[in-house]
């Protein structure tokens, strides 16, 4: 900016008049002029700063309007779908249904032209309608030995539970070791018969030897999940049993019985 020489000349003239009026208070004119220039410079700087600040405010307002205000062609973002409501928790029922009856086929075949079969049937709980025998055990479960010859169940005359015995749980040792010869009449003494054994745990199979030398082998079968087992073999009509032997899985003979005729 160009210095104001006219104002400085006026100051110099005023100073000269002051010296003439007050000769005892001299003051250097250069110092007065320097101070005046400094005041003018400060006023110009302050004015410039105020102008810049005012411009910045205007720009700031414009920027805030640009960035914060919605654009005319802007589209509001789509809302995210709300998560699906979770299904209510349903606790498992506390009461577990009673296990069902387990049945396993022990053996079957044809002898004397008649179909025959033997099966073990285990009831974990005493079935409805079952009445324990007067002098029998008071077990919590029931083990049935279903034997059929020519489509007729042996001992069916005694009712639906005539070939069953009460046991306690899945591993009652009571039935183990039993063996019997069964038929539809004469209590197993004649006609087509079935030899059924409930062996000890180490018996893998049984062998029936007839008096004519013929042998019939039967494999032990176990009811799944229990300790109840059996093997069964047919004895043809008119044949006589010489011996009944039982073996373990290593083919060692465990029992030898000659009291069957």
């Amino acid at each position: 900016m160009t210095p104001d020489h006219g104002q400085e000349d006026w100051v110099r003239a005023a100073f000269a008049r002051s010296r003439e009026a007050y000769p005892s208070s001299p003051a250097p004119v250069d110092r007065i002029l320097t101070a005046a220039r400094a005041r003018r410079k400060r006023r110009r700087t302050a004015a410039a700063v105020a102008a810049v600040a005012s411009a910045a405010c205007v720009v700031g307002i414009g920027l805030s309007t640009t960035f914060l205000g919605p654009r005319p062609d802007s589209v509001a973002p789509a809302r995210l779908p709300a998560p699906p409501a979770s299904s209510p928790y349903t606790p498992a029922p506390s009461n577990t249904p009673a296990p069902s009856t387990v049945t396993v086929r022990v053996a079957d075949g044809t002898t004397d032209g008649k179909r025959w079969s033997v099966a073990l049937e285990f009831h974990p709980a005493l079935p409805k309608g079952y009445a324990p025998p007067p002098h029998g055990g008071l077990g919590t479960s029931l083990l049935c030995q279903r034997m059929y010859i020519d489509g007729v169940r042996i001992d069916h005359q005694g009712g639906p539970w005539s070939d069953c015995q009460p046991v306690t749980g899945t591993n009652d040792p009571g039935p183990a070791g039993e063996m019997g010869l069964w038929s539809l009449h004469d209590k197993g003494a004649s006609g087509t018969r079935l030899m059924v054994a409930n062996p000890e745990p180490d018996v893998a199979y049984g062998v029936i030897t007839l008096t004519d030398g013929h042998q019939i082998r039967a494999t032990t079968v176990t009811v799944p999940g229990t300790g109840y087992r059996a093997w069964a073999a047919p004895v043809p009509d008119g044949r006589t049993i010489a011996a009944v032997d039982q073996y373990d899985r290593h083919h060692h003979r465990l029992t030898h019985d000659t009291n069957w005729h």
Side-chain angles (χ1 to χ4, degrees), residues 24 28 67 105 139 155 186 198 228 233:
S24 60
F67 287 103
R105 181 187 67 84
D155 205 15
D186 293 337
N198 303 109
Y228 305 121

Side-chain angles (χ1 to χ4, degrees), residues 74-79:
S74 62
V75 178
R79 290 177 176 265

